[in-house]
PDB file of all heavy atoms in Angstrom:
ATOM      1  N   MET A 217      -0.637   3.548   8.820  1.00  0.00           N
ATOM      2  CA  MET A 217       0.202   2.385   9.055  1.00  0.00           C
ATOM      3  C   MET A 217       0.795   1.935   7.717  1.00  0.00           C
ATOM      4  O   MET A 217       0.140   2.026   6.683  1.00  0.00           O
ATOM      5  CB  MET A 217      -0.623   1.266   9.675  1.00  0.00           C
ATOM      6  CG  MET A 217       0.223   0.052  10.001  1.00  0.00           C
ATOM      7  SD  MET A 217      -0.611  -1.145  11.049  1.00  0.00           S
ATOM      8  CE  MET A 217      -1.737  -1.873   9.916  1.00  0.00           C
ATOM      9  N   PRO A 223      11.167  -8.028  -0.025  1.00  0.00           N
ATOM     10  CA  PRO A 223      12.013  -6.861  -0.301  1.00  0.00           C
ATOM     11  C   PRO A 223      11.368  -5.930  -1.324  1.00  0.00           C
ATOM     12  O   PRO A 223      10.557  -6.351  -2.148  1.00  0.00           O
ATOM     13  CB  PRO A 223      13.288  -7.480  -0.870  1.00  0.00           C
ATOM     14  CG  PRO A 223      12.830  -8.725  -1.559  1.00  0.00           C
ATOM     15  CD  PRO A 223      11.665  -9.228  -0.728  1.00  0.00           C
ATOM     16  N   LEU A 229      18.560  -1.969  -6.955  1.00  0.00           N
ATOM     17  CA  LEU A 229      18.688  -2.413  -5.569  1.00  0.00           C
ATOM     18  C   LEU A 229      17.510  -3.247  -5.093  1.00  0.00           C
ATOM     19  O   LEU A 229      16.406  -3.134  -5.612  1.00  0.00           O
ATOM     20  CB  LEU A 229      18.794  -1.194  -4.645  1.00  0.00           C
ATOM     21  CG  LEU A 229      19.952  -0.232  -4.873  1.00  0.00           C
ATOM     22  CD1 LEU A 229      19.784   0.997  -4.001  1.00  0.00           C
ATOM     23  CD2 LEU A 229      21.281  -0.906  -4.612  1.00  0.00           C
ATOM     24  N   ASP A 238      23.514 -10.401   8.984  1.00  0.00           N
ATOM     25  CA  ASP A 238      24.133  -9.131   8.590  1.00  0.00           C
ATOM     26  C   ASP A 238      25.118  -8.603   9.627  1.00  0.00           C
ATOM     27  O   ASP A 238      25.727  -7.557   9.422  1.00  0.00           O
ATOM     28  CB  ASP A 238      23.048  -8.077   8.340  1.00  0.00           C
ATOM     29  CG  ASP A 238      22.190  -8.407   7.134  1.00  0.00           C
ATOM     30  OD1 ASP A 238      22.743  -8.856   6.116  1.00  0.00           O
ATOM     31  OD2 ASP A 238      20.961  -8.219   7.223  1.00  0.00           O
ATOM     32  N   GLY A 247      31.789   0.057  11.864  1.00  0.00           N
ATOM     33  CA  GLY A 247      32.936   0.031  12.756  1.00  0.00           C
ATOM     34  C   GLY A 247      34.068   0.935  12.293  1.00  0.00           C
ATOM     35  O   GLY A 247      35.094   1.056  12.951  1.00  0.00           O
ATOM     36  N   ARG A 279       3.883   1.098  12.198  1.00  0.00           N
ATOM     37  CA  ARG A 279       2.524   0.845  12.687  1.00  0.00           C
ATOM     38  C   ARG A 279       1.952   2.014  13.478  1.00  0.00           C
ATOM     39  O   ARG A 279       0.747   2.162  13.592  1.00  0.00           O
ATOM     40  CB  ARG A 279       2.512  -0.420  13.540  1.00  0.00           C
ATOM     41  CG  ARG A 279       2.753  -1.673  12.719  1.00  0.00           C
ATOM     42  CD  ARG A 279       2.652  -2.952  13.551  1.00  0.00           C
ATOM     43  NE  ARG A 279       2.724  -4.110  12.698  1.00  0.00           N
ATOM     44  CZ  ARG A 279       3.845  -4.685  12.287  1.00  0.00           C
ATOM     45  NH1 ARG A 279       5.006  -4.195  12.663  1.00  0.00           N
ATOM     46  NH2 ARG A 279       3.804  -5.741  11.497  1.00  0.00           N
ATOM     47  N   GLY A 282       6.473   7.182  15.885  1.00  0.00           N
ATOM     48  CA  GLY A 282       7.611   6.767  16.703  1.00  0.00           C
ATOM     49  C   GLY A 282       8.303   5.538  16.137  1.00  0.00           C
ATOM     50  O   GLY A 282       9.452   5.267  16.472  1.00  0.00           O
ATOM     51  N   ALA A 288      18.118  -2.857   4.756  1.00  0.00           N
ATOM     52  CA  ALA A 288      19.436  -3.064   4.167  1.00  0.00           C
ATOM     53  C   ALA A 288      19.352  -2.804   2.672  1.00  0.00           C
ATOM     54  O   ALA A 288      18.375  -3.186   2.015  1.00  0.00           O
ATOM     55  CB  ALA A 288      19.902  -4.496   4.423  1.00  0.00           C
ATOM     56  N   LEU A 289      20.369  -2.169   2.131  1.00  0.00           N
ATOM     57  CA  LEU A 289      20.475  -1.939   0.692  1.00  0.00           C
ATOM     58  C   LEU A 289      21.439  -2.962   0.110  1.00  0.00           C
ATOM     59  O   LEU A 289      22.602  -3.022   0.528  1.00  0.00           O
ATOM     60  CB  LEU A 289      21.032  -0.545   0.399  1.00  0.00           C
ATOM     61  CG  LEU A 289      20.214   0.671   0.793  1.00  0.00           C
ATOM     62  CD1 LEU A 289      20.994   1.943   0.484  1.00  0.00           C
ATOM     63  CD2 LEU A 289      18.887   0.668   0.071  1.00  0.00           C
ATOM     64  N   PHE A 297      26.144  -5.908  -0.222  1.00  0.00           N
ATOM     65  CA  PHE A 297      25.585  -5.000   0.772  1.00  0.00           C
ATOM     66  C   PHE A 297      26.219  -3.631   0.571  1.00  0.00           C
ATOM     67  O   PHE A 297      27.437  -3.505   0.614  1.00  0.00           O
ATOM     68  CB  PHE A 297      25.887  -5.547   2.167  1.00  0.00           C
ATOM     69  CG  PHE A 297      25.217  -4.790   3.269  1.00  0.00           C
ATOM     70  CD1 PHE A 297      24.062  -5.280   3.857  1.00  0.00           C
ATOM     71  CD2 PHE A 297      25.730  -3.585   3.732  1.00  0.00           C
ATOM     72  CE1 PHE A 297      23.433  -4.594   4.882  1.00  0.00           C
ATOM     73  CE2 PHE A 297      25.111  -2.889   4.750  1.00  0.00           C
ATOM     74  CZ  PHE A 297      23.957  -3.393   5.329  1.00  0.00           C
ATOM     75  N   GLN A 312       4.374  13.785   9.717  1.00  0.00           N
ATOM     76  CA  GLN A 312       5.793  14.090   9.535  1.00  0.00           C
ATOM     77  C   GLN A 312       6.638  12.823   9.577  1.00  0.00           C
ATOM     78  O   GLN A 312       6.316  11.879  10.306  1.00  0.00           O
ATOM     79  CB  GLN A 312       6.281  15.007  10.651  1.00  0.00           C
ATOM     80  CG  GLN A 312       5.494  16.273  10.829  1.00  0.00           C
ATOM     81  CD  GLN A 312       5.847  17.366   9.863  1.00  0.00           C
ATOM     82  OE1 GLN A 312       7.017  17.619   9.618  1.00  0.00           O
ATOM     83  NE2 GLN A 312       4.847  18.002   9.313  1.00  0.00           N
ATOM     84  N   GLU A 314      11.028  11.333   8.805  1.00  0.00           N
ATOM     85  CA  GLU A 314      12.451  11.663   8.632  1.00  0.00           C
ATOM     86  C   GLU A 314      13.138  10.492   7.954  1.00  0.00           C
ATOM     87  O   GLU A 314      12.862   9.342   8.270  1.00  0.00           O
ATOM     88  CB  GLU A 314      13.104  11.927   9.989  1.00  0.00           C
ATOM     89  CG  GLU A 314      14.566  12.276   9.893  1.00  0.00           C
ATOM     90  CD  GLU A 314      15.196  12.622  11.238  1.00  0.00           C
ATOM     91  OE1 GLU A 314      14.462  12.917  12.202  1.00  0.00           O
ATOM     92  OE2 GLU A 314      16.438  12.585  11.311  1.00  0.00           O
ATOM     93  N   TYR A 328      23.862   4.616  -5.043  1.00  0.00           N
ATOM     94  CA  TYR A 328      23.038   3.604  -4.373  1.00  0.00           C
ATOM     95  C   TYR A 328      22.232   4.184  -3.215  1.00  0.00           C
ATOM     96  O   TYR A 328      21.049   3.885  -3.055  1.00  0.00           O
ATOM     97  CB  TYR A 328      23.899   2.454  -3.843  1.00  0.00           C
ATOM     98  CG  TYR A 328      24.544   1.597  -4.907  1.00  0.00           C
ATOM     99  CD1 TYR A 328      25.870   1.194  -4.776  1.00  0.00           C
ATOM    100  CD2 TYR A 328      23.836   1.165  -6.018  1.00  0.00           C
ATOM    101  CE1 TYR A 328      26.471   0.386  -5.731  1.00  0.00           C
ATOM    102  CE2 TYR A 328      24.434   0.357  -6.974  1.00  0.00           C
ATOM    103  CZ  TYR A 328      25.759  -0.029  -6.829  1.00  0.00           C
ATOM    104  OH  TYR A 328      26.343  -0.831  -7.766  1.00  0.00           O
ATOM    105  N   ASN A 357      28.823  17.430   6.984  1.00  0.00           N
ATOM    106  CA  ASN A 357      28.712  16.233   6.151  1.00  0.00           C
ATOM    107  C   ASN A 357      28.207  16.621   4.758  1.00  0.00           C
ATOM    108  O   ASN A 357      27.042  16.459   4.412  1.00  0.00           O
ATOM    109  CB  ASN A 357      27.778  15.216   6.812  1.00  0.00           C
ATOM    110  CG  ASN A 357      27.859  13.863   6.151  1.00  0.00           C
ATOM    111  OD1 ASN A 357      28.355  13.720   5.046  1.00  0.00           O
ATOM    112  ND2 ASN A 357      27.333  12.864   6.843  1.00  0.00           N
ATOM    113  N   ALA A 359      28.824  15.310   1.848  1.00  0.00           N
ATOM    114  CA  ALA A 359      28.395  14.194   0.995  1.00  0.00           C
ATOM    115  C   ALA A 359      26.924  13.864   1.257  1.00  0.00           C
ATOM    116  O   ALA A 359      26.148  13.633   0.318  1.00  0.00           O
ATOM    117  CB  ALA A 359      29.273  12.965   1.229  1.00  0.00           C
ATOM    118  N   GLY A 368      15.940  16.272  -4.204  1.00  0.00           N
ATOM    119  CA  GLY A 368      15.033  17.406  -4.361  1.00  0.00           C
ATOM    120  C   GLY A 368      14.661  18.081  -3.062  1.00  0.00           C
ATOM    121  O   GLY A 368      13.775  18.939  -3.034  1.00  0.00           O
ATOM    122  N   GLU A 379      23.809  20.805  19.102  1.00  0.00           N
ATOM    123  CA  GLU A 379      23.941  19.491  19.733  1.00  0.00           C
ATOM    124  C   GLU A 379      25.382  19.260  20.181  1.00  0.00           C
ATOM    125  O   GLU A 379      26.321  19.673  19.509  1.00  0.00           O
ATOM    126  CB  GLU A 379      23.519  18.389  18.765  1.00  0.00           C
ATOM    127  CG  GLU A 379      22.043  18.451  18.421  1.00  0.00           C
ATOM    128  CD  GLU A 379      21.607  17.334  17.517  1.00  0.00           C
ATOM    129  OE1 GLU A 379      22.272  17.078  16.511  1.00  0.00           O
ATOM    130  OE2 GLU A 379      20.586  16.704  17.841  1.00  0.00           O
ATOM    131  N   GLY A 383      31.736  14.868  22.327  1.00  0.00           N
ATOM    132  CA  GLY A 383      32.629  15.796  23.005  1.00  0.00           C
ATOM    133  C   GLY A 383      32.765  17.161  22.371  1.00  0.00           C
ATOM    134  O   GLY A 383      33.629  17.932  22.763  1.00  0.00           O
ATOM    135  N   TRP A 398       7.017  16.388  -3.812  1.00  0.00           N
ATOM    136  CA  TRP A 398       7.316  15.023  -4.239  1.00  0.00           C
ATOM    137  C   TRP A 398       6.461  14.644  -5.454  1.00  0.00           C
ATOM    138  O   TRP A 398       6.960  14.115  -6.439  1.00  0.00           O
ATOM    139  CB  TRP A 398       7.078  14.044  -3.085  1.00  0.00           C
ATOM    140  CG  TRP A 398       7.110  12.625  -3.516  1.00  0.00           C
ATOM    141  CD1 TRP A 398       6.036  11.810  -3.764  1.00  0.00           C
ATOM    142  CD2 TRP A 398       8.273  11.828  -3.776  1.00  0.00           C
ATOM    143  NE1 TRP A 398       6.466  10.571  -4.159  1.00  0.00           N
ATOM    144  CE2 TRP A 398       7.825  10.562  -4.174  1.00  0.00           C
ATOM    145  CE3 TRP A 398       9.641  12.083  -3.720  1.00  0.00           C
ATOM    146  CZ2 TRP A 398       8.701   9.535  -4.512  1.00  0.00           C
ATOM    147  CZ3 TRP A 398      10.513  11.065  -4.053  1.00  0.00           C
ATOM    148  CH2 TRP A 398      10.051   9.816  -4.446  1.00  0.00           C
TER     149      TRP A 398
END
Side-chain angles (χ1 to χ4, degrees):
M217 183 167 74
L229 301 172
D238 293 319
R279 291 184 173 85
L289 295 177
F297 187 101
Q312 306 279 316
E314 180 176 342
Y328 292 137
N357 192 344
E379 294 183 312
W398 169 260

